[in-house]
Structure formats: structure tokens, C-alpha cells
């Protein structure tokens, strides 16, 4: 399997190369040259398989020759057999006749990020050992990627991680899940800025010769293709349980950096019958405007009760623009450079046409988010986190809009455990969710992090001064 950049001028890499590179050298994002296709019969053959078996089948064509089948099986068995507290790994829960939740938070750090990041840590170790190399990871988090990535690489002898989070803009549980990890290869940086600032710093480091000249940089954000590959699996696994591929399923996906919903798009390109992908946003709704009106213009970020989705510049949207718009790398490079300068861009007609049939988008403000939490609690006793509630609210909007056949199941991705956001949940439903025991004594442990200004140079210099040389 070959990987190409959305901006057309970076070297073509294999899976191992793309996983270690993170961001492409032309500033673009790697994705497969061609989507692997599964026939309905091949998908049907996965019925009754365990999660790790579906993972092996779905990932195999993407991994190509970078791992032997035995290596891939071993990694999938270790991750999906041992790291998740639920036997089904990502269980489905029914809310009513049409609505379902896909619980993605049974991993060690209680959010959907674990599904891919516990695997990514093992991929890094396998590839780095083979090459006898080390990797310095720089990452940005609005709360969940950080802890999952740190958990995935803490203690690794070949990986060092610098994780930037926006100071004061993640929940206490999210922050503590990162800052209470004591490991010599883990550095937490709280920057005075937004997640978008942190993500921009990270991308800039990949193009900064002072950094790349000394360090072998790697990425754990969903700019890294391997992240998305692992997330494609749960679309297949859940669809199989609901009658797929002989029945179409709709998914509502709480969206920030567009990684999770792009994984659904990939599943559809691979042959999984998906009726609709609902891009559910909070009031920071650049993606809703882009999908519904063709207007991708970033404004300031307004803090919400869904902090992990307080994002205005969504990395993976570039992958969709590239693929849905006809895969013209030079044109994407020009379009994205224009956006980087002006913070606004119009989608081309081809891009809009390419995404029109599969995508719908709705947004939820704080009241709608709270109402969705209340509805889930009243309808089926489920306590859901606010991000999941944004997805559920959007799913309900689609039903109210009469734009979905009532026999099509709508699966809302439950992206985080409610205990990560206890204040918002308690305000909405009057119940304070308890942290699962597997998280341990989070509030009894000492925190360690470094506060930095919002300037790029402050983050870059910290990384350069504190990284053990590769
Ligand atoms: C809990 C939660 N829900 C939803 C999202 C949005 O996912 P994505 O960035 O893949 O769109 C995130 C973070 O990005 C998150 O942490
Ligand atoms: N919500 C995310 C933001 C980063 O997204 P990623 O999927 O690109 O890593 C977070 O929790 O950090």
C-alpha cells in the first residue's frame, strides 16, 4: 500500500514510513493512493468475529508489507484483548427504536482516542526497534488525545512525547489524566492559547528546519494516518451487529478535528453501506458551515461545555477536500495555503458535489446539548457525556428534519465517558458520574506540567532544550 500527500509534492511512503512521518514534508496529510474495497460477501464473512479479528481484516490492506500478518495479529490481540474493560471493546447500546450509542470509551483513558492510540504506541515501538531509531512526538490536545497518547507511549525507550494543551480549557479530569503521569519521556506543556494555537505550533515544528534538523519528529494527532485506520474498524464492527452490510446504517459523529467522521468516510469508500454521516458540531461550527454552505471560515473559538470540540481549524477536513474533490494535490496545496493566510476559503463545486450525498451537518448549542443528555437519561437511563450529546442532538435533528428513513438505525458515537465532564453532566441530569476504578486515584496524585506563553517560539524552544537528542 502506498501513501501520498494531500498536497502532492511529498515523497510517497509505505505504511511504516507514513506512520513514523506523521505530517507530510509538504505540509499535507498522508492517505492511501487507492482505497481498498471489500465486497458485501467479504464483509458478511466478518459476522460473529471478535473485535480484534475485525481489526486485523480491516487494517491488513492498509498495513501492506509493513507488518507480517503474525505481527498485526499480535498487536491487535494485545490492544483489543487486554486494554479495554468491556468484552465487546466498543459495545452498542440501544436508546429507542431508531437511536443507538456506540460506546467508544472503555479504554484506559475513557475516550475514543484509546482505540487508535494504544495501537499507535505499539506500532511506533515495532517500527523504531526495527530501524534502531528514536522518535520525538509533538502533539496538541483539547483534552483527550493527550492522555491516550501519553498512556500509549509512557515508558517507551524509543519515544519521547511533548504534549501541548490550552491552559484552563480542558476539564480537571482530562488535565490530571495527562499531568499526573510520571515518566521521564513525558512532558506536558500548558500554553496560553487555544487548541487551534497548539495544533498550529505542532504543524509548524514539522516545517521548522531547526527542529527537524536535530529531532526525528513524529505525530500522535489524527494527522497521523495510522490513527484514522484504527478508527475505521468500529464502523465495520458496529454495522455488522446491526445487519450490515445488508442494511444501511447512519452515524452521527461529534466532530472537532474531523478525524472520527473521516474514518467513517473511509469505511464507506471501502464498501461499507453507510446511509449518512452526520457531522455534529457545537457552536464552533466551521464544519457545519463548510458542509451546508461551502464556507470554510474560521472565527475565534468560543469555550463550551464540550471543550474537546472547541476547534475551528479541523486538520482532517483537508483529507476530505482532497478525496471528494478529485485528488488534485497542487490545487489543495494552493487552497490550504490561501486558508492559512486568510483563515477563510470557499469549497470548490467539485468538493461540494463530492460530499453532498453522504454528509449532513447539524450543530448543538449548550441548551440543546443539555436537552440531549436529559433525553438519553429519561428515555433509557443512560448518562452520556456532553460531546456524545452533541452527536445525539444532531441525530435527533436529522430525524426531525424528516430526512432519514425511519427504518435506518442511527448510531451516535459516544466519544467520552461522562465522568470526564462531571460538572456539565451533573448540571444537566442531576447525577454526578463516578470515575471508573481503572483510572485509579487521579485526584490524589501530584501534577507536573510547564506553563508557556502562547508564542510558537516558546513551545519550539522548550522542545529543543528538553528533548533527549535522537
Ligand atoms: C470526546 C470527544 N468527542 C469528539 C471529538 C471530536 O473528534 P474528531 O477530532 O476526531 O472530530 C473529540 C476530539 O477531537 C473528543 O475528545
Ligand atoms: N479533541 C482532540 C483534539 C485533537 O484531535 P486529534 O484527534 O487530531 O488528535 C483532543 O482530545 O485532543
Amino acid at each position: 500500500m502506498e501513501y501520498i500527500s494531500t498536497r502532492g509534492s511529498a515523497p510517497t511512503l509505505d505504511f511504516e514510513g507514513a506512520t513514523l512521518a506523521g505530517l507530510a514534508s509538504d505540509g499535507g496529510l498522508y492517505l492511501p493512493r487507492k482505497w481498498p474495497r471489500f465486497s458485501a460477501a467479504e464483509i458478511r464473512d466478518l459476522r460473529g468475529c471478535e473485535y480484534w479479528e475485525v481489526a486485523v481484516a480491516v487494517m491488513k490492506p492498509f498495513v501492506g508489507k509493513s507488518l507480517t500478518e503474525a505481527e498485526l495479529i499480535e498487536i491487535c490481540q494485545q490492544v483489543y484483548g487486554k486494554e479495554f474493560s468491556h468484552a465487546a471493546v466498543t459495545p452498542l447500546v440501544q436508546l429507542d427504536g431508531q437511536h443507538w450509542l456506540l460506546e467508544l470509551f472503555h479504554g484506559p483513558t475513557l475516550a475514543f482516542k484509546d482505540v487508535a492510540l494504544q495501537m499507535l504506541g505499539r506500532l511506533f515501538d515495532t517500527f523504531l526497534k526495527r530501524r534502531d531509531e528514536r522518535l520525538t512526538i509533538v502533539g496538541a490536545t483539547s483534552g483527550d488525545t493527550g492522555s491516550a497518547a501519553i498512556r500509549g507511549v509512557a515508558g517507551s525507550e524509543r519515544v519521547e512525547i511533548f504534549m501541548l494543551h490550552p491552559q484552563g480549557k480542558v476539564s480537571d479530569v482530562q488535565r490530571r489524566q495527562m499531568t499526573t503521569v510520571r515518566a521521564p519521556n513525558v512532558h506536558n506543556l500548558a500554553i496560553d492559547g487555544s487548541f487551534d494555537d497548539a495544533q498550529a505550533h505542532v504543524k509548524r515544528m514539522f516545517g521548522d528546519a531547526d527542529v527537524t534538523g536535530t529531532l526525528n519528529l513524529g505525530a500522535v494527532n489524527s494527522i497521523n494516518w495510522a490513527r484514522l485506520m484504527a478508527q475505521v474498524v468500529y464502523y465495520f464492527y458496529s454495522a455488522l451487529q446491526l445487519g450490515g452490510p445488508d442494511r444501511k446504517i447512519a452515524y452521527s459523529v461529534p466532530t472537532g478535528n474531523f478525524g472520527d467522521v473521516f474514518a467513517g468516510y473511509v469505511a464507506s469508500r471501502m464498501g461499507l453501506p453507510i446511509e449518512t454521516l452526520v457531522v455534529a458540531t457545537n457552536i464552533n461550527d466551521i464544519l457545519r458551515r463548510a458542509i451546508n454552505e461551502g464556507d470554510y471560515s474560521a472565527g475565534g473559538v468560543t469555550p463550551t461545555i464540550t471543550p474537546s470540540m472547541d476547534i475551528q481549524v479541523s486538520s482532517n477536513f483537508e483529507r476530505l477536500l482532497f478525496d471528494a474533490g478529485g485528488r488534485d494535490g497542487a490545487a489543495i496545496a494552493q487552497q490550504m495555503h490561501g486558508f492559512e493566510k486568510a483563515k477563510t476559503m470557499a469549497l470548490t463545486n467539485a468538493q461540494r458535489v463530492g460530499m453532498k450525498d453522504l454528509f449532513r451537518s447539524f450543530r448543538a448549542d449548550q441548551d440543546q446539548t443539555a436537552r440531549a443528555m436529559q433525553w438519553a437519561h429519561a428515555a433509557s437511563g443512560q448518562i452520556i457525556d456532553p460531546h456524545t450529546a452533541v452527536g445525539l442532538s444532531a441525530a435527533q435533528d436529522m430525524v426531525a428534519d424528516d430526512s432519514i428513513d425511519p427504518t435506518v438505525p442511527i448510531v451516535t458515537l459516544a466519544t467520552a465517558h461522562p465522568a470526564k465532564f462531571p460538572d456539565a453532566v451533573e448540571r444537566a441530569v442531576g447525577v454526578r458520574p463516578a470515575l471508573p476504578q481503572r483510572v485509579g486515584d487521579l485526584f490524589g496524585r501530584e501534577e507536573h506540567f510547564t506553563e508557556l506563553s502562547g508564542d510558537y517560539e516558546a513551545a519550539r524552544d522548550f522542545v529543543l532544550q528538553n528533548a533527549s537528542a535522537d
Side-chain angles (χ1 to χ4, degrees), residues 190-443:
I191 70 154
D192 183 12
S194 65
F195 168 77
D196 287 332
D197 298 327
Q199 178 160 254
H201 291 354
V202 165
K203 286 186 176 171
R204 196 165 156 192
M205 282 187 221
F206 277 85
D208 185 332
D210 287 344
V211 184
T212 55
T214 15
L215 300 173
N216 188 20
L217 275 198
V220 283
N221 283 107
S222 56
I223 53 178
N224 191 321
W225 166 257
R227 280 274 313 273
L228 301 191
M229 172 191 75
Q231 291 173 221
V232 174
V233 175
Y234 46 70
Y235 287 91
F236 276 87
Y237 186 68
S238 56
L240 283 160
Q241 292 165 66
L242 292 174
D246 300 307
R247 186 188 195 197
K248 283 194 160 192
I249 320 285
Y251 290 89
S252 181
V253 190
T255 310
N257 230 358
F258 208 76
D260 216 1
V261 71
F262 189 78
Y265 173 79
V266 175
S268 154
R269 300 287 276 158
M270 291 172 72
L272 187 70
I274 294 184
E275 174 74 22
T276 304
L277 287 170
V278 181
V279 177
T281 75
N282 64 22
I283 55 172
N284 298 297
D285 65 345
I286 181 171
L287 288 165
R288 185 190 63 83
R289 284 179 282 115
I291 285 163
N292 294 351
E293 295 149 30
D295 167 28
Y296 192 76
S297 307
V301 178
T302 307
T304 68
I305 54 167
T306 44
S308 302
M309 289 159 53
D310 289 344
I311 297 176
Q312 284 282 290
V313 182
S314 296
S315 287
N316 287 285
F317 200 52
E318 178 170 340
R319 284 189 166 112
L320 181 66
L321 295 176
F322 175 73
D323 195 61
R327 292 197 157 218
D328 181 343
I332 289 287
Q334 204 180 14
Q335 198 178 17
M336 295 311 301
H337 288 141
F339 174 75
E340 279 152 22
K341 282 202 194 87
K343 297 286 168 246
T344 176
M345 74 186 175
L347 271 54
T348 65
N349 200 38
Q351 288 165 339
R352 294 195 70 184
V353 170
M355 59 182 76
K356 172 171 89 30
D357 290 342
L358 190 59
F359 290 96
R360 303 285 317 275
S361 186
F362 299 91
R363 77 171 201 170
D365 64 19
Q366 317 247 108
D367 289 344
Q368 290 163 311
T369 307
R371 276 203 294 279
M373 285 193 265
Q374 287 153 5
W375 181 81
H377 193 221
S380 60
Q382 288 295 315
I383 296 182
I384 62 173
D385 103 283
H387 302 78
T388 306
V390 168
L392 184 58
S393 172
Q396 291 174 318
D397 284 349
M398 179 169 66
V399 173
D401 205 31
D402 253 355
S403 53
I404 181 115
D405 180 332
T407 64
V408 173
I410 310 173
V411 176
T412 294
L413 271 52
T415 49
H417 192 290
K420 286 193 119 169
F421 309 95
D423 298 336
V425 174
E426 188 174 16
R427 265 197 308 277
V429 299
V431 178
R432 193 164 183 87
L435 274 174
Q437 272 189 338
R438 66 183 184 279
V439 178
D441 177 23
L442 201 57
F443 283 83

